[in-house]
Amino acid sequence: MHELTLLVATHNEGKAREYAHLLGDLPVKIVWLKQVGVKEVAPETGATLVENALLKARFYAAHTNLLTWADDSGLEVDALSGRPGVHSAHYGGEGLTDRERCTLLLRELEGIPMERRTACFRCVVAIARPTGEAWTAEGVVEGVILTAPRGDRGFGYDPIFWAPSLNATLAELPLEVKNRISHRALAAAQARRIVERLLDDSLQP
Ligand code: ITT
């Protein structure tokens, strides 16, 4: 039987949990970085999410010789002109916990009224072949940065990101509910079509 293998390449456990749920029904064999023994971390030297997503997907595809799915994502806060954005994972410097980064962001936003605390999460998924051929898809979810964290699910900035459509922070939602509305879910819905197309092509005689 023909089976396509897809490497979902992330070192972030929070992302991995979400993708396991989002992509579980794709008719491919999903493998993870740990499973294929990749410890290297792709360089993220791009200036944009698209550049970094492509860098990651191409790096891990070349490394493993597998079709690879990677994402670069971040939180863009309007009152901070879009920061931390592409630098979300390293906001405040290395070695901080997710909670510490949230606290730092809340401190930066101190005194800013609710109506000016708008923000969005953006996710760019890149799919790359070992040859370097690649495609991208993007998803965005709009929200508001609260003044204190709420909830202990999810990861990253979820406890301070309130989603108006669900009247909850992303950290108060079960994974399958976050996966209905999130930036990652929206990008993944488009990107899975790319994988399905590649699958169709690979089945052609
Ligand atoms: P990989 O590159 O290995 O996938 P990473 O954590 O370094 O893991 P990114 O460079 O894409 O990934 O950084 C994205 C950061 O943006 C992430 O570490 C979080 O701080 C934040 N972020 C992205 N998506 C998020 C989400 O759904 N909920 C909360 N925070 C998120």
Side-chain angles (χ1 to χ4, degrees), residues 152-204:
D152 51 16
R153 302 182 200 231
F155 69 98
Y157 302 92
D158 283 344
I160 57 172
F161 187 93
W162 181 74
S165 63
L166 293 167
N167 188 18
T169 69
L170 294 186
E172 292 176 306
L173 301 171
L175 178 138
E176 55 276 17
V177 179
K178 177 180 173 187
N179 269 353
R180 265 187 243 140
I181 62 149
S182 80
H183 51 314
R184 184 159 298 102
L186 297 172
Q190 285 184 51
R192 63 185 289 142
R193 280 190 231 126
I194 298 166
V195 174
E196 283 160 357
R197 214 174 51 227
L198 293 173
L199 188 63
D200 284 348
D201 291 352
S202 72
L203 292 176
Q204 297 302 318

Side-chain angles (χ1 to χ4, degrees), residues 9-13 15 18 33 41-42 44 49 52 56 60 70-75 85-90 98 101 121-123 154-159 161 170 178 182-184:
T10 179
H11 290 289
N12 182 316
E13 295 292 329
K15 285 188 191 181
E18 292 179 10
L33 285 178
V41 178
E44 293 186 37
L49 297 180
N52 278 340
K56 285 188 220 185
Y60 294 115
D71 93 41
D72 203 50
S73 43
L75 176 67
V86 70
H87 304 295
S88 294
H90 308 288
D98 282 354
R101 288 189 216 284
F121 271 124
R122 191 181 303 277
C123 175
F155 69 98
Y157 302 92
D158 283 344
F161 187 93
L170 294 186
K178 177 180 173 187
S182 80
H183 51 314
R184 184 159 298 102

